[in-house]
Amino acid sequence: MFMMFAMTSDSVGEIIKEVKVAFSVTNAQASLMHSLPMLGIALSGLFLGFLADRFGRKNTIILGLAVFGVACYSFMAANDFVLIVSLMTLSGIAVGIFKTGALALIGDISSSTKQHTATMNGAEAFFGVGAIIGPLIVAYLIHSGVAWQWLYVIAGGVCTLLITIALFVKYPSYQHTHAAEAEKVSLLQSLKLIKNPYALGFSIGAFLYVAAESAIYVWMPSYLVCDVTSLKATYECYSAGSAQTLAIYSVTAFFVLRALGRFVGIWMMSHFNWALVLTLFSGAIVVCFAGGLMGGKQVALYLFPLTGIFMSVIYPTFNSKGISCFPKHQHGSVAGVILFFTAAGAAAGPFIMGLVSDANGGDAKYGFMVATVFATILFAGLLLNYIFNPTQQRLAEIEASEYGVN
């Protein structure tokens, strides 16, 4: 599921190039293909996240996948820009539904909060794989003269397979042992979680992280451009060879390192203090961003993609620890709250960076300064988290009550 979602969401940049030509839309209009699906995910996570707790993980996942599949197959009839954006928005709403169910399910199948974090890194690693292969599929389709809409048909096929598997897989039946709590789950109770310090703290962390991360895959290509007046001369300032190749495939390098880092994170988060790892890695991100800005494009060419390693484990761990601070019958609701802030960061971060860059002559360097501020605030928060360890007692209580670990 995570891989399928990433295949479509992280291919939007490639699709936008085709849609702009086909429908003669402006950059602002084309940006709706990114912002509206993110808005759909955010609102769906916040207002529909409780479904996984109220009606069960299996039903919620199948519902979300069914809506996503319908949206994907409908792309074959999408020959109008408004319809394309509408279908992307619908797919975002569907993602919010099945992803909160999936995130809650991870808690059900975990035997401890530490295993929960390792499993979450594994799931997000497949998201990283989808982020790599999605744009490659779109590029291959376009190069072969095939409509980009077939990417969604492929995703729809994967979605159909996942629904079939979900129908026959036996899910943990914790809902039956928490029937009283499940009956109390509602939208209002879900929204009240926003005021909870644990849910809010990890949600703000997710917002800051995604806002900083989005600078890489949204604005790094623009920052590395040396001659904005000529696309042909875009990377001529880099010496021929490995440097020029890295300049062209810098975003792909970032996604590869992020995916590899998450697979390693499965082991890392089972053996090391998660708070210390996140503090060190977030500090390394600040160093890479600041070094890339002070050293110029020739230095950023190496430091910016390198952040993929350090960013790899941060978001899965935020998700895991944030969800683990609550009993299992609330996992869907709190996952929805964190997902809301995640999508909000993905939508607001690049937009704010774009505004700042435009206000300073269109230079993407100023957008990365904003991203560095986001990363610095994130590091400060994680450093305080490591020093004061506010979740230690809460996680210990959850371990004892939900997982039977003393």
Side-chain angles (χ1 to χ4, degrees):
M1 282 188 287
F2 282 65
M3 185 184 74
M4 177 192 65
F5 162 44
M7 282 173 54
T8 56
S9 65
D10 284 20
S11 299
V12 170
E14 294 292 329
I15 295 172
I16 283 177
K17 293 190 298 185
E18 298 299 310
V19 171
K20 283 177 61 179
V21 174
F23 300 102
S24 300
V25 296
T26 64
N27 286 327
Q29 291 171 330
S31 68
L32 294 176
M33 297 172 65
H34 169 74
S35 58
L36 287 183
M38 290 298 106
L39 179 62
I41 294 173
L43 296 179
S44 179
L46 183 62
F47 292 107
L48 300 178
F50 75 96
L51 294 178
D53 298 327
R54 186 70 175 81
F55 300 107
R57 318 316 194 200
K58 184 173 186 175
N59 293 332
T60 303
I61 288 173
I62 291 176
L63 172 63
L65 289 175
V67 175
F68 189 85
V70 169
C72 285
Y73 289 128
S74 298
F75 270 94
M76 289 309 297
N79 54 6
D80 175 78
F81 178 71
V82 174
L83 179 57
I84 289 173
V85 174
S86 299
L87 290 175
M88 286 185 166
T89 304
L90 178 61
S91 68
I93 294 173
V95 167
I97 296 173
F98 74 68
K99 189 171 182 180
T100 51
L103 291 173
L105 179 62
I106 290 175
D108 298 347
I109 63 176
S110 300
S111 59
S112 67
T113 57
K114 181 171 287 189
Q115 186 191 37
H116 187 284
T117 303
T119 304
M120 189 72 76
N121 272 275
E124 291 290 351
F126 279 93
F127 181 93
V129 173
I132 297 169
I133 65 176
L136 292 178
I137 292 175
V138 174
Y140 175 77
L141 291 173
I142 295 172
H143 180 72
S144 302
V146 180
W148 59 265
Q149 285 92 333
W150 278 95
L151 170 71
Y152 283 86
V153 177
I154 295 171
V158 176
C159 191
T160 302
L161 176 62
L162 290 172
I163 292 174
T164 304
I165 294 173
L167 286 170
F168 292 97
V169 169
K170 183 179 180 180
Y171 281 47
S173 56
Y174 90 95
Q175 291 93 340
H176 299 297
T177 61
H178 289 76
E181 291 89 344
E183 286 296 325
K184 297 177 183 177
V185 172
S186 66
L187 172 60
L188 182 60
Q189 286 189 329
S190 179
L191 294 177
K192 287 181 178 179
L193 285 175
I194 296 178
K195 296 187 293 185
N196 184 284
Y198 298 108
L200 183 60
F202 283 107
S203 294
I204 292 174
F207 178 95
L208 291 169
Y209 163 75
V210 174
E213 179 199 50
S214 62
I216 295 293
Y217 58 81
V218 175
W219 293 115
M220 179 171 64
S222 298
Y223 177 67
L224 295 180
V225 167
C226 297
D227 185 354
V228 296
T229 63
S230 171
L231 290 177
K232 185 178 180 180
T234 292
Y235 299 111
E236 285 185 357
C237 64
Y238 301 105
S239 58
S242 59
Q244 193 175 68
T245 301
L246 180 57
I248 297 172
Y249 296 104
S250 56
V251 174
T252 300
F254 167 77
F255 282 140
V256 169
L257 291 174
R258 189 183 66 175
L260 291 175
R262 283 177 176 171
F263 280 113
V264 175
I266 300 173
W267 169 84
M268 184 183 301
M269 288 305 174
S270 298
H271 292 81
F272 297 100
N273 182 328
W274 68 272
L276 177 59
V277 172
L278 263 57
T279 301
L280 294 176
F281 277 25
S282 62
I285 294 171
V286 175
V287 171
C288 287
F289 275 13
L293 288 171
M294 292 186 292
K297 304 176 193 297
Q298 299 285 350
V299 176
L301 175 64
Y302 297 96
L303 290 184
F304 284 0
L306 184 63
T307 59
I309 294 177
F310 305 119
M311 290 185 180
S312 60
V313 299
I314 294 179
Y315 181 69
T317 304
F318 275 152
N319 242 332
S320 170
K321 297 305 180 185
I323 294 171
S324 293
C325 282
F326 295 84
K328 290 183 178 181
H329 70 270
Q330 288 185 305
H331 279 191
S333 299
V334 70
V337 171
I338 295 174
L339 187 59
F340 169 79
F341 281 88
T342 298
F351 180 70
I352 296 172
M353 295 170 204
L355 289 178
V356 173
S357 294
D358 287 343
N360 290 275
D363 192 339
K365 175 180 69 175
Y366 295 96
F368 261 98
M369 290 181 180
V370 176
T372 304
V373 172
F374 284 136
T376 302
I377 297 173
L378 177 64
F379 167 68
L382 286 170
L383 179 61
L384 291 175
N385 175 71
Y386 173 67
I387 294 173
F388 296 104
N389 202 3
T391 62
Q392 183 179 24
Q393 182 177 350
R394 177 66 173 178
L395 290 174
E397 293 173 353
I398 293 295
E399 289 271 13
S401 63
E402 297 291 323
Y403 299 101
V405 178
N406 296 318

